[in-house]
Amino acid sequence: MKLYDYILSPSCYKVRLMAALTGIPLKIRPVDFHPGGEHRKAELLALNPAGSIPILEDGDLVLTESSAMLVYLSMKTAPKWLGDGTAEQAARVQQWLSFSHRLTANLGGARLHEMLHRPGDIAVLQAHGIAALRELEAGLVEQGLRGKSFLASDRPTIADIACFPYVALAPDGGVLLDPYPAIRLWSRAIRALDGFIEMPGIHRLHELKPDPSIAAGEE
Amino acid sequence: MAENAMLNQWYPVGLFSHLAKGVYKTALMGEKIAVSADANGDAVVTTCAGRILPVLVRFGHVWSSLGEPTKDLFSIPEADQPGRRFVEVGVVRVRCSPLRAVENFLDIAHFPFVHTDILGAEPHTEVQNYKVEIRDVEDEVWATQVKFYQPQAAKSASGGITTEYMYRVPSPTCSVLYKTCPPRPTEWDVITLFVQPLAEDLCDVWPWMALFDDETSMTDLIHFQQTIFLQDRSILENQIPHLLPLDPGMEIPTRADMTSVAYRRWLKRHNFTYGAQLVAQ
Amino acid sequence: MPAETTGFWAPVALSADLPPATVIPARTTAGSIALWRSQSGRVAASADRCPHRGMRLSHGFVRGEALSCIYHGWSYAQAGNCLRIPAHPGLSPPETIRVATQKVEEADGLLWVAVGDPAHQPPALAGLVPLRSLTAEADIGAIERAAGATLDARGVLETVENSQAVRLLLVELQPHRTLVHVLVDDGATPAERIMASRAAESLRRRAESLQGGIA
């Protein structure tokens, strides 16, 4: 499987993260998104006329939507990431996958504007991003009251992976995460998963590794 | 502000290779400017009011000034060596003081915590003594004999090595880093940070490199450097106060911070205070 | 709000939102705090700023009984003194390197930070338990107007929203920004808790539109 990838793209990171969590090896083909604009040049437009990344190639199959890639990776090797098979969980997964596309537009748009000079109405993007974070916070609170720590289930699904990157990187676009305790706990739970990998802007949880040398007086 | 010595410095305002795309609108120290190419392909920089600003092109970037620079832009002789590959890493905007951006670039003690498993890793956190001076002739800050153990020092490194560094500050918002070059151990790889002050708490950072590396693709080189810088960005946007304190009291340096201590002292000496605060608050 | 004595207790977070070995950002009108719980469960409120290079400590990490700054890993004890500087492993950090701390109490499932010097203990909530915290871009006054009720001496607002009883513990964070802790009866069922959460969201929407500040 070959992933056309940009290291700073949260959408590409969704796929890299999913592959790491499920142990699927990916061949990475780096795309010079910035400053080169390679995603909009002839070679990649031929593969994906939408001019977006990520693009996933597996033999003859070419996928251009990150949600589809998440579904593909889980169905191939780790179907538990799709939910427990019930209609309710499948629907919840779809609900949050659709929601995740709004995050790309609002939180992602704010980030591209604040960091990489892309055009946009920053006040509107941030306001929409805040509204989305509030929905996510309320959703996580309610899941918690149902005894579930993840968006669709009591274990992580592709719904969590689809939402996590843009949420974790919201501060890049000037949207702080301070007011959302449930999102903070959920984000920690994802970052503590076996096989979790970071992307630039999401740093390692150093607390997961014990202090390499304990100084006197610390205990 | 008119008294500010930083007005008469050169600042990066764009990539020369991107001028063909049309007029690039940006800002310099609070003033809106436009960067474009004339009929001959030469760079032109003007303010909104139509004032033509000084301009030069070097290291792949267009440089300009709101004042009248008294000296030429600094040179980097290593950049003229044959076989060097030049990497334009691309601009990143950061909501921080331009001086904070430079100071972070000069720091190595953060490597194990911020660039974990790339430029540093616990338990290899110790920063050994190194040499710092303000060179009077060039009027530049230099740190030499800097050493740090790195799991993956560069795209061209095949494993962990003790990397040697030199740091240089040739102008208030620019820094040049010279580091061990794995394919050619007697040469230095050159990595620069050119910082464009948009406002006292907002800047555009233009990293640029001159490397000996014939193996790695240009995109991989760009992505490696962008990774490092993006890891620093969330630190830079969360330092308080926003303006760099030039008086002691607010912040506590240790021996590992000697380069930054010298940088702050050099800034204060020259009245380079755009993006800085003076009285300890 | 309680009558001003020499200080008061600000409820800054739910206990459940601060698991062991974690740090979170918190705020009172006196400033920002890195609120953290050690591995053994002890809570501390440190000033949200590392004295080294000014990095927010709430972005850091907790190992054992110490809070470390994410930038250079400087570690602090709950009392505020610096324990370790990783760049100089053999160095005992001087006593002068420390972060200011504030008194913190844990009671009724809430974490209370002292602002000034409170004369008493934090108010008791008597049978109410906190459900969740949310932030409203509105003054306490706007929330009171939206609710058609006023705060009691403990800082609790009681009203009915969409036929649902709502109890909110309010504390000012900044002008036009209030921290709202939704309270429910100890015996409330999950379904009742969900209804209380939604009612609080509804009230927040009305308070914010009264405040006029949110898109």
Side-chain angles (χ1 to χ4, degrees), chain A residues 195-216:
Chain A
F196 178 83
I197 56 166
E198 299 94 39
M199 73 162 270
I202 300 175
H203 64 76
R204 182 81 52 88
L205 287 183
H206 299 299
E207 53 268 63
L208 296 181
K209 194 168 134 184
D211 203 323
S213 66
I214 312 283

Side-chain angles (χ1 to χ4, degrees), chain B residues 189-239:
Chain B
D189 270 341
V190 173
I191 299 165
T192 73
L193 207 76
F194 303 142
V195 183
Q196 174 184 358
L198 301 167
E200 288 204 86
D201 62 353
L202 185 69
C203 55
D204 272 348
V205 172
W206 304 86
W208 181 80
M209 306 195 281
L211 311 172
F212 282 123
D213 181 336
D214 297 324
E215 306 284 321
T216 314
S217 75
M218 181 62 73
T219 302
D220 273 328
L221 290 173
I222 289 171
H223 288 185
F224 184 81
Q225 213 53 34
Q226 287 184 353
T227 292
I228 300 303
F229 188 68
L230 256 288
Q231 290 175 331
D232 285 316
R233 190 174 176 275
S234 61
I235 302 286
L236 289 171
E237 296 203 334
N238 287 285
Q239 284 178 276

Side-chain angles (χ1 to χ4, degrees), chain A residues 65-88:
Chain A
E65 295 289 332
S66 62
S67 296
M69 296 173 208
L70 297 180
V71 169
Y72 186 62
L73 290 176
S74 9
M75 286 204 70
K76 283 275 228 176
T77 59
K80 285 205 168 83
W81 284 87
L82 295 167
D84 63 3
T86 60
E88 184 191 327

Side-chain angles (χ1 to χ4, degrees), chain B residues 100-107 167 175-177 191-193:
Chain B
R100 286 259 195 222
V102 170
E103 190 177 76
N104 164 267
F105 188 76
L106 300 173
D107 178 85
Y167 284 97
S175 181
V176 184
L177 153 64
I191 299 165
T192 73
L193 207 76

Side-chain angles (χ1 to χ4, degrees), chain A residues 110-111 113-116 126 169-176 178 201, chain B residues 92-97 100-101 104 201-205 229-243, chain C residues 53-56 59 70-71:
Chain A
R111 178 174 175 272
H113 179 277
E114 292 296 276
M115 223 170 72
L116 297 184
Q126 288 173 337
L169 295 169
D172 283 356
V175 178
L176 297 188
D178 295 9
Chain B
V92 177
R93 181 161 297 180
V94 191
R95 200 158 283 283
C96 76
S97 156
R100 286 259 195 222
N104 164 267
D201 62 353
L202 185 69
C203 55
D204 272 348
V205 172
F229 188 68
L230 256 288
Q231 290 175 331
D232 285 316
R233 190 174 176 275
S234 61
I235 302 286
L236 289 171
E237 296 203 334
N238 287 285
Q239 284 178 276
I240 309 159
H242 296 303
L243 302 179
Chain C
R53 287 291 182 250
M55 181 62 194
R56 288 179 70 189
H59 284 235
I70 189 62
Y71 198 177

